[in-house]
Amino acid sequence: MIVSQDSQLTARRPAAKVTVSSLIELLGSMRFAISLLVIICVASVIGTVIPQNRPENTYIDMFGPFWFEVLQKFDVWSIYNSTWFIVIMAFLVASTSICLIRNTPKMIKEMRTFREHVRGSSLRAFPHKVELATERGLADSDIAIKAWLKDQGYAYKVREEEDGVMIAAKRGGSNRFGYIAAHASIVMICVGGLLDSELPVRAQIWLFGKTPIVDNMLIADVPPSGRLGIDNPSFRANLFVPEGGTRANAVVNVGDAALVQPLPFNLTLNKFIVDYYTTGMPSRFASEVTVKDPETGETFDQTIEVNSPLRYKGVTVYQSSFDDGGSNIDLFAFPLSGAAAGPFEISKQVGEAMQLPVGNTGREIRLEVTGLRPINVEDLSEGVPETASVIEHVAAVTGSAAGKRDKKLQNMGPSVEYQVIDDSGQAQRFHNYMIPVELDGDRVILAGVSMDGSDNYRYLRIPADESSSAIEFMNLRAALADPEARALAAKRFAENNVPPGTDSTALQISAERALETFSDGGLEALSRFLELSVPQQEQARAADVIMRLLGSSMAEMRAIARERAGMEPLDPANPENVRWNQLAVAALSDLHFYPAPVLFSMKSFDLVQASVFQVSRAPGMLTVYLGCLLLTIGIFAMFYVRDRRIWVWLKREPGQEGTKVLAAMTSQKRTLDFNREFERFKQALNRLDMRKE
């Protein structure tokens, strides 16, 4: 059989129509829309429970490496801007819009029609009906029925025929408007969400050649391809302004890259204010700023707080958090090897770096001061600091932080954060406190090191001296590294612990060997020495002897260190001095695991604060608010406005003066309330005075 080309085209067209029709039918189906809405609701719950846009280390600590990799594939860390979430919202908009376009005209028509052309005989098929006869005439019955319907709030329409009158009444027709409003609100909310998402910025990347910047560079050096327009309709950016600084450009994060967003005004931070509760937690953040319009030269001052943003020229500036703005810090640098105690002083600005030699080894380390915290309110419930992040501080100010009730909060004073990079490029992060803190009854200086690169620090406890510093401890460390000092301490220990006239050489040699072993490897080295040189059954007793010998020898070592520093001697039997010596032994042992050749302690600082603002232009915000209002109205109309329809057929009785009445009542939802209302309607008809007077 030969089929012409025209026949083939004719055969294809219905198939194409069927495909398009099926697609539209799928998009406009209620099941499809509800499925998309459920997915969006579940995703929104996840986005509410899981903190959004935090550093990756936060999520690794929270979920572990395996689940971090799994969840990262779904972009749950920025779920509202993930591609799949935006695509689902777009499909939901299309689905709900098709549903509205298809059903709104029908619903409006249904709201406006009275269905007065219903046949009188068909009213008997309604489940809720009333049939009676009255001696009153047709005209009088018609007037009485209309008066009752009007009194009950019904609108009605009359269809007259030769043998009777059909009265069609309705009430609550706005119930249909509830369905329209609810569906329209979903469209408005989703459209507003799409407008305020990263979609407008991504569209400029896809369509207009914008290229996010990956390399570190000054904003002034960013090319035009890395800059968005000043009239960009929608964006959400970050703005960092130090005290005394002025900024006119914000940064829009796009994954691991960024775009520069020019602002229609210049923002100068005059002063950053932070107030604290008696517990040390911040009670208020505020930024006193000056805004200047470059077009008109107009300037004005305003205070931006966490719940009081700045709004100007369609741009809203929120107080997001705070940071260091380039504070000047004076540091003590204590060498952790050799007989030099130090310290030597270094003055640096937060964010600056410098190269430092490591003793006489010819090696160098790179010091980068990364942060200054003038106040640290931390949880000591577990006995070690649990530092609160800036986000948690902001949450405390806004009242949205629901912390543990059993937290033991304590203000631990200022601290410095820095990292040390060795000559192989390996970086290690450190967090050291400036003043001593009391832990378990001991005054110690905490020197923290991050073992995994996150914000989880393990702290070295250094016993504080009379001047609340680590200088005496570092003098002791230097003395322990000096063979002459160890020999002298061992000699004094032996002379003080043998009877007069007894040879102390053996005890002196044992003490000197213990000090040397401890100096080389700490308590772990002493443990290895016992395992290799003492039978297993005698190791416990030998360990007790060595620890007592070490403790007494270290007391003599401390006395020598104080003599060298020109300090007054101490009573070795004083319990406070005994406890200090014990803490020093533990800290000296832990120093062998400290991953840096130098320990830096903060001497003083000149604080310069900076505000971190979130800057946004959100044209969809009003749309979302209107959508929420429309949703509220729609839900109210659907649940509290009940549609009811009444038909009353008045028919003349042939050859008689009376009237036959046949009425029916119906509703889209035949609830118990409807049944009670029908009973009242039925009783009202029975009580109508339609008798002849």
Side-chain angles (χ1 to χ4, degrees):
M1 179 184 293
I2 300 177
V3 182
S4 66
Q5 186 176 3
D6 292 340
S7 300
Q8 291 179 355
L9 292 175
T10 305
R12 289 174 186 170
R13 286 169 185 164
K17 290 181 179 179
V18 169
T19 302
V20 174
S21 177
S22 301
L23 179 60
I24 294 176
E25 189 67 27
L26 173 63
L27 290 176
S29 66
M30 182 178 294
R31 290 182 180 179
F32 184 74
I34 291 177
S35 300
L36 296 178
L37 187 60
V38 168
I39 294 174
I40 288 179
C41 290
V42 172
S44 299
V45 171
I46 295 173
T48 303
V49 173
I50 298 178
Q52 299 290 289
N53 302 313
R54 298 285 184 87
E56 289 187 356
N57 290 334
T58 303
Y59 302 112
I60 294 175
D61 296 338
M62 188 181 300
F63 298 102
F66 173 77
W67 285 109
F68 170 79
E69 294 293 336
V70 173
L71 296 174
Q72 190 178 29
K73 297 182 184 300
F74 298 95
D75 293 329
V76 297
W77 325 130
S78 56
I79 199 167
Y80 301 114
N81 288 311
S82 61
T83 302
W84 63 268
F85 187 84
I86 293 175
V87 169
I88 290 176
M89 286 186 65
F91 271 105
L92 181 60
V93 170
S95 176
T96 311
S97 299
I98 291 173
C99 184
L100 277 173
I101 294 171
R102 293 173 60 183
N103 296 306
T104 298
K106 300 177 184 178
M107 289 188 175
I108 293 176
K109 183 179 180 181
E110 179 69 15
M111 290 167 56
R112 299 177 62 181
T113 184
F114 284 85
R115 301 182 188 176
E116 70 275 12
H117 296 287
V118 173
R119 296 181 59 184
S121 58
S122 64
L123 297 181
R124 292 189 175 90
F126 282 76
H128 296 81
K129 58 182 181 295
V130 180
E131 190 170 2
L132 55 86
T134 176
E135 296 180 354
R136 178 175 289 227
L138 180 63
D140 292 340
S141 300
D142 179 52
I143 294 173
I145 291 291
K146 291 177 180 177
W148 184 86
L149 290 173
K150 185 176 181 180
D151 183 62
Q152 297 298 316
Y154 281 85
Y156 58 85
K157 193 171 183 179
V158 178
R159 176 172 60 87
E160 296 183 356
E161 295 186 1
E162 293 182 0
D163 58 343
V165 175
M166 170 64 75
I167 304 174
K170 64 183 180 69
R171 181 183 177 188
S174 58
N175 174 270
R176 294 289 195 283
F177 173 76
Y179 290 92
I180 299 173
H183 285 72
S185 67
I186 294 175
V187 175
M188 294 178 67
I189 292 172
C190 290
V191 169
L194 290 172
L195 288 175
D196 291 347
S197 68
E198 292 182 356
L199 185 60
V201 174
R202 292 185 184 181
Q204 295 182 60
I205 296 174
W206 297 333
L207 303 176
F208 300 105
K210 297 298 181 181
T211 305
I213 304 300
V214 179
D215 300 328
N216 291 327
M217 63 174 63
L218 297 174
I219 289 181
D221 298 333
V222 175
S225 62
R227 296 175 179 270
L228 298 169
I230 196 171
D231 296 325
N232 185 16
S234 175
F235 62 85
R236 191 176 301 273
N238 295 317
L239 180 64
F240 177 89
V241 187
E243 284 183 330
T246 301
R247 297 290 185 269
N249 295 281
V251 176
V252 177
N253 294 322
V254 184
D256 296 330
L259 291 168
V260 174
Q261 174 60 61
L263 302 177
F265 52 82
N266 297 333
L267 188 71
T268 302
L269 177 62
N270 300 319
K271 185 179 180 181
F272 178 77
I273 303 169
V274 55
D275 299 329
Y276 297 92
Y277 294 111
T278 55
T279 60
M281 290 297 290
S283 62
R284 174 177 177 257
F285 297 147
S287 297
E288 295 180 354
V289 302
T290 297
V291 179
K292 181 178 180 179
D293 190 331
E295 295 182 355
T296 63
E298 177 188 358
T299 63
F300 62 91
D301 296 330
Q302 184 167 329
T303 300
I304 304 175
E305 299 190 44
V306 171
N307 296 313
S308 179
L310 162 71
R311 293 183 173 87
Y312 185 66
K313 284 195 166 183
V315 176
T316 305
V317 182
Y318 299 92
Q319 180 71 60
S320 176
S321 61
F322 63 96
D323 207 335
D324 189 273
S327 301
N328 296 309
I329 300 178
D330 296 325
L331 297 172
F332 282 135
F334 294 99
L336 298 182
S337 61
F344 57 91
E345 296 187 19
I346 297 174
S347 295
K348 296 305 293 180
Q349 190 178 69
V350 174
E352 288 186 345
M354 67 179 299
Q355 297 291 128
L356 293 173
V358 181
N360 297 321
T361 62
R363 296 172 48 238
E364 286 189 342
I365 60 172
R366 179 180 176 85
L367 169 67
E368 294 183 357
V369 181
T370 57
L372 166 68
R373 292 191 176 199
I375 187 170
N376 289 269
V377 180
E378 296 169 357
D379 181 14
L380 300 180
S381 302
E382 303 297 330
V384 293
E386 185 179 324
T387 305
S389 66
V390 172
I391 296 297
E392 291 173 315
H393 284 313
V394 174
V397 172
T398 58
S400 60
K404 298 185 296 183
R405 294 184 179 182
D406 59 345
K407 279 188 175 182
K408 183 182 177 182
L409 298 178
Q410 181 175 334
N411 180 13
M412 301 181 65
S415 67
V416 61
E417 294 179 341
Y418 62 91
Q419 67 177 0
V420 173
I421 305 174
D422 60 22
D423 48 10
S424 66
Q426 185 69 29
Q428 197 77 46
R429 298 177 58 198
F430 299 89
H431 180 216
N432 295 348
Y433 291 90
M434 180 178 179
I435 60 177
V437 61
E438 186 169 331
L439 290 179
D440 302 326
D442 303 316
R443 291 180 69 252
V444 294
I445 297 172
L446 297 178
V449 55
S450 173
M451 305 304 293
D452 55 1
S454 68
D455 288 334
N456 296 323
Y457 290 94
R458 297 177 62 183
Y459 289 91
L460 175 69
R461 300 188 183 191
I462 300 174
D465 55 25
E466 296 96 327
S467 60
S468 298
S469 72
I471 292 178
E472 184 176 358
F473 172 81
M474 292 301 175
N475 289 339
L476 177 60
R477 183 215 62 77
L480 182 64
D482 184 1
E484 294 182 2
R486 292 199 301 266
L488 180 59
K491 181 179 178 181
R492 290 183 180 181
F493 164 73
E495 292 174 350
N496 294 333
N497 287 274
V498 297
T502 305
D503 186 11
S504 62
T505 304
L507 184 60
Q508 178 179 343
I509 294 174
S510 297
E512 189 172 352
R513 181 179 298 175
L515 288 173
E516 182 181 2
T517 304
F518 179 75
S519 175
D520 292 339
L523 295 176
E524 185 176 351
L526 287 174
S527 177
R528 289 197 303 267
F529 171 77
L530 288 174
E531 291 176 358
L532 296 174
S533 59
V534 179
Q536 184 175 2
Q537 62 272 17
E538 298 181 11
Q539 287 180 5
R541 185 176 63 84
D544 182 60
V545 172
I546 288 182
M547 288 305 298
R548 280 194 248 170
L549 184 147
L550 178 64
S552 300
S553 301
M554 288 299 297
E556 297 295 342
M557 185 66 70
R558 183 186 182 191
I560 293 172
R562 290 180 67 89
E563 289 174 8
R564 290 183 172 183
M567 303 172 68
E568 295 181 357
L570 297 173
D571 179 9
N574 188 315
E576 292 184 0
N577 295 331
V578 173
R579 180 57 181 166
W580 193 97
N581 293 341
Q582 292 172 348
L583 292 172
V585 169
L588 287 169
S589 180
D590 291 340
L591 275 181
H592 292 282
F593 302 99
Y594 197 76
V598 182
L599 187 147
F600 297 93
S601 177
M602 187 161 54
K603 176 186 176 183
S604 62
F605 61 90
D606 181 16
L607 179 64
V608 178
Q609 295 275 28
S611 279
V612 180
F613 300 107
Q614 186 178 87
V615 186
S616 67
R617 179 178 282 149
M621 182 174 62
L622 181 60
T623 304
V624 171
Y625 287 161
L626 291 176
C628 291
L629 176 62
L630 198 61
L631 180 62
T632 303
I633 295 173
I635 291 176
F636 180 86
M638 285 192 295
F639 283 94
Y640 295 100
V641 178
R642 300 187 303 274
D643 65 316
R644 287 141 297 179
R645 289 182 178 273
I646 293 176
W647 293 271
V648 181
W649 172 247
L650 302 177
K651 184 179 180 181
R652 297 184 183 90
E653 289 289 345
Q656 300 180 11
E657 295 184 359
T659 304
K660 186 176 181 180
V661 180
L662 178 59
M665 184 176 183
T666 188
S667 175
Q668 189 180 19
K669 296 181 180 179
R670 297 171 186 173
T671 61
L672 294 176
D673 290 337
F674 170 76
N675 292 331
R676 286 192 290 267
E677 188 169 351
F678 172 71
E679 289 299 323
R680 291 194 297 269
F681 167 64
K682 184 177 179 180
Q683 293 172 11
L685 284 181
N686 291 329
R687 289 197 306 267
L688 280 177
D689 185 13
M690 293 187 290
R691 297 169 299 170
K692 282 186 177 181
E693 296 180 357

